Amino acid sequence: MSGTRKLWGGRFTEAPDETFAEFNNSFRFDKRLFEADVRASIAHANGLRRAAVLTKGEANSIIGALTQLLDDSRIDFKFFDSNAEDVHSFIEQKLVEAIGETGLKLHTGRSRNDQVATALRLWLREEIDEITRLTRELQSAIVDTAEGFQKVVMPGYTHLQRAQPVLFAHWCLAYFEMLKRDRARLADAYERVNVLPLGSAALAGTSFPIDREAVAKELGFREVSANSMDAVSDRDFAIEFVGACSILMMHLSRLAEDLILYCSQEFGFIELSDGVSTGSSLMPQKKNPDALELIRGKAGRVFGHHATLLAIMKGLPLAYNKDMQEDKEAVFDTVDTVKSCLSVAGIVFANIKINEHRMREAAESSYMNATELADYLVRKGVPFRTAHDVAGKVVLRAMELKKELDEMPVDELKAISSDIDEDVFAILTLENTIGSKLQIGGTSSEQVGQGLKDAREYLTK
Ligand code: ARG
């Protein structure tokens, strides 16, 4: 265990209450920021050297020790055994253990307030990259599946009632689109994460001539924050990130729900691989879609983190307040949850079995071509509202006769509307119902084929 030297002991005469210390300490979770904080500390040391606050020798000694800490942390499994208050004090302790007095100079011109904001942003930048990569992989699995089953038809639903037939690939590409928007939102959030708060110090800025732009450049930040009070108390970037993740998780939960329905005996459209299913301890026949149910459930957990962050920040006076330490676990758990859900969704998708026959059977029934009949009448000059009414009457009669529309005797059809002729049967086919949706975004194989091409092209970027 490292020592317990405090960063702020000077004006205190009594030791901290133990219960409070445990309550106050964040090291057990913010140690995840270790690497980011060391990298930011190295850039800060360079900044102090350029400002001639540190000599070259002092800066080198600090940077050498910090670099060594990074190496040690990777091989020494007891490295993080410490009762440090937080990751920032932990690093300073380790530094002073390694090089003595010189280590105490690193904190010149900075505060944990700008430090923690910097470390969290640095850390989050990499995690956003990783989440983006995993989202892309899921998109890729979706497109692979869609391409493999380009001719497969299925019912499309509204109100979970059979509505109009669509291509299975069309359904796949709907989720692809959602994930495209998610990536755009993450990229946008990244831009606002990518701003350097370091140099804002506690809240008022620093009196040492540190070139903040040079520090930003060294750490790869797009720009430096414009207002020191805002910089140390801004967690918009975290809220925005978790917000983008909430929408992403909402999409994954809808994907999960569709697939959970589709693999039920009632639908029977797909089968999940054994690898992502579980059995029942009681019912030997069961195969349950736990992977998807967990994704659906974990969406709620991420929404909760979003609400947590907003609630923490609401009404906080400027500038830094300790309330803000509560942001970490929400952000960390969001990252872990989203990453695991994306990975599992990708595996589920890559191994899905499609029951083409059941899907077609469902797509051919339930009068899902009734809109085609109405459109047919419109082309014969009947106003749509009237055509809709006629088609409705035909459906009613067909239900009485227990027939699908294309099985109706033509006389029955003519009895309802004299505008209906033999040529109606050509438009009532499943092929025409789907194939006629030729406008951009429609479910015809031409449009879906174009959608698949565009998706492939997007994935190469
Ligand atoms: N552990 C703190 C946090 O996560 C670091 C900043 C503490 N600053 C302070 N003045 N107490 O917010």
Side-chain angles (χ1 to χ4, degrees):
M1 299 280 256
S2 309
T4 49
R5 183 195 173 102
K6 287 269 168 292
L7 297 182
W8 36 262
R11 63 100 60 221
F12 287 77
T13 53
E14 284 174 32
D17 178 273
E18 258 180 50
T19 306
F20 165 66
E22 212 175 302
F23 183 68
N24 186 44
N25 291 359
S26 54
F27 187 61
R28 70 182 178 281
F29 53 85
D30 70 14
K31 59 181 162 205
R32 284 184 79 162
L33 298 178
F34 173 75
E35 205 177 312
D37 207 44
V38 169
R39 277 166 58 208
S41 294
I42 291 173
H44 182 63
N46 278 322
L48 290 173
R49 174 182 51 78
R50 281 189 295 265
V53 176
L54 291 179
T55 65
K56 205 167 173 189
E58 287 169 336
N60 283 344
S61 148
I62 289 173
I63 291 168
L66 288 172
T67 311
Q68 184 61 47
L69 288 185
L70 281 181
D71 291 344
D72 294 350
S73 71
R74 288 183 192 122
I75 47 171
D76 177 1
F77 70 98
K78 287 204 162 149
F79 184 80
F80 290 103
D81 283 359
S82 164
N83 56 0
E85 182 183 335
D86 57 21
V87 67
H88 320 294
S89 25
F90 172 75
I91 293 169
E92 186 164 305
Q93 268 167 33
K94 288 277 189 190
L95 184 62
V96 173
E97 266 169 40
I99 58 170
E101 283 284 294
T102 310
L104 296 172
K105 294 193 170 187
L106 175 62
H107 209 56
T108 315
R110 78 173 182 186
S111 149
R112 278 182 295 166
N113 300 350
D114 58 346
Q115 203 182 339
V116 71
T118 303
L120 188 56
R121 284 168 183 268
L122 266 180
W123 182 85
L124 198 49
R125 267 193 343 201
E126 283 184 17
E127 296 295 343
I128 293 178
D129 281 343
E130 180 60 8
I131 290 173
T132 304
R133 188 186 70 74
L134 290 167
T135 308
R136 188 190 172 286
E137 273 190 10
L138 175 57
Q139 285 182 305
S140 186
I142 291 175
V143 175
D144 286 346
T145 306
E147 279 178 349
F149 299 94
Q150 283 190 52
K151 297 217 152 34
V152 174
V153 296
M154 67 184 280
Y157 297 84
T158 64
H159 313 269
L160 204 54
Q161 304 289 315
R162 287 184 190 168
Q164 290 183 309
V166 292
L167 289 177
F168 168 70
H170 196 56
W171 173 88
C172 290
L173 286 176
Y175 284 101
F176 183 88
E177 283 298 313
M178 294 177 221
L179 296 173
K180 246 166 85 180
R181 293 195 296 276
D182 290 322
R183 280 178 60 178
R185 264 184 289 273
L186 285 168
D188 205 41
Y190 187 100
E191 288 305 303
R192 273 174 293 279
V193 170
N194 201 14
V195 176
L196 177 76
L198 202 62
S200 303
L203 78 162
T206 172
S207 50
F208 295 99
I210 297 169
D211 179 352
R212 296 188 61 213
E213 311 254 338
V215 176
K217 195 157 173 224
E218 182 172 338
L219 291 171
F221 282 105
R222 177 169 62 83
E223 60 180 9
V224 301
S225 56
N227 180 297
S228 59
M229 294 182 81
D230 176 46
V232 293
S233 66
D234 167 24
R235 291 295 180 274
D236 295 7
F237 70 92
I239 299 173
E240 196 177 344
F241 163 71
V242 178
C245 288
S246 297
I247 300 180
L248 168 58
M249 287 302 300
M250 177 270 287
H251 291 152
L252 295 187
S253 80
R254 295 186 70 177
L255 174 64
E257 171 65 8
D258 264 355
L259 294 176
I260 289 167
L261 286 172
Y262 295 168
C263 74
S264 67
Q265 279 79 9
E266 280 66 21
F267 281 79
F269 291 174
I270 59 162
E271 197 185 324
L272 302 179
S273 62
D274 285 359
V276 293
S277 308
T278 60
S280 159
S281 59
L282 191 148
M283 300 162 283
Q285 86 286 6
K286 287 295 291 286
K287 180 170 171 184
N288 297 327
D290 292 33
L292 295 166
E293 291 166 295
L294 279 169
I295 290 173
R296 191 175 58 185
K298 283 173 194 285
R301 178 167 166 158
V302 173
F303 304 169
H305 294 322
H306 193 229
T308 297
L309 289 177
L310 285 168
I312 290 168
M313 296 307 293
K314 179 186 176 297
L316 281 190
L318 280 181
Y320 177 83
N321 299 271
K322 195 60 170 269
D323 313 46
M324 290 159 72
Q325 177 166 288
E326 293 291 310
D327 63 355
K328 310 286 174 313
E329 287 156 296
V331 173
F332 294 159
D333 190 68
T334 296
V335 165
D336 295 341
T337 304
V338 169
K339 284 190 337 195
S340 63
C341 289
L342 284 168
S343 302
V344 170
I347 298 168
V348 169
F349 228 93
N351 295 291
I352 228 164
K353 259 206 277 178
I354 306 293
N355 189 343
E356 205 173 324
H357 178 71
R358 273 294 285 264
M359 283 188 175
R360 172 168 276 272
E361 218 173 49
E364 276 173 336
S365 59
S366 312
Y367 309 107
M368 282 194 289
N369 49 1
T371 313
E372 284 342 282
L373 175 57
D375 289 352
Y376 162 88
L377 290 167
V378 166
R379 287 193 195 93
K380 301 241 161 167
V382 181
F384 180 75
R385 194 47 58 217
T386 316
H388 183 284
D389 197 57
V390 170
K393 290 201 165 83
V394 172
V395 169
L396 202 62
R397 181 71 185 132
M399 284 163 69
E400 277 167 21
L401 299 176
K402 298 201 175 5
K403 289 185 187 305
E404 285 294 327
L405 296 186
D406 55 357
E407 297 164 348
M408 288 286 279
V410 73
D411 296 341
E412 284 282 350
L413 298 174
K414 280 177 185 287
I416 297 172
S417 167
S418 57
D419 290 303
I420 303 180
D421 274 312
E422 278 289 345
D423 61 352
V424 75
F425 295 107
I427 68 105
L428 290 177
T429 61
L430 182 59
E431 278 58 41
N432 179 65
T433 305
I434 289 180
S436 60
K437 306 300 183 305
L438 280 161
Q439 307 313 316
I440 296 173
T443 196
S444 67
S445 59
E446 286 84 349
Q447 285 301 334
V448 173
Q450 187 58 48
L452 286 170
K453 269 222 267 321
D454 293 346
R456 273 284 162 229
E457 157 92 32
Y458 167 94
L459 287 173
T460 61
K461 285 187 280 196

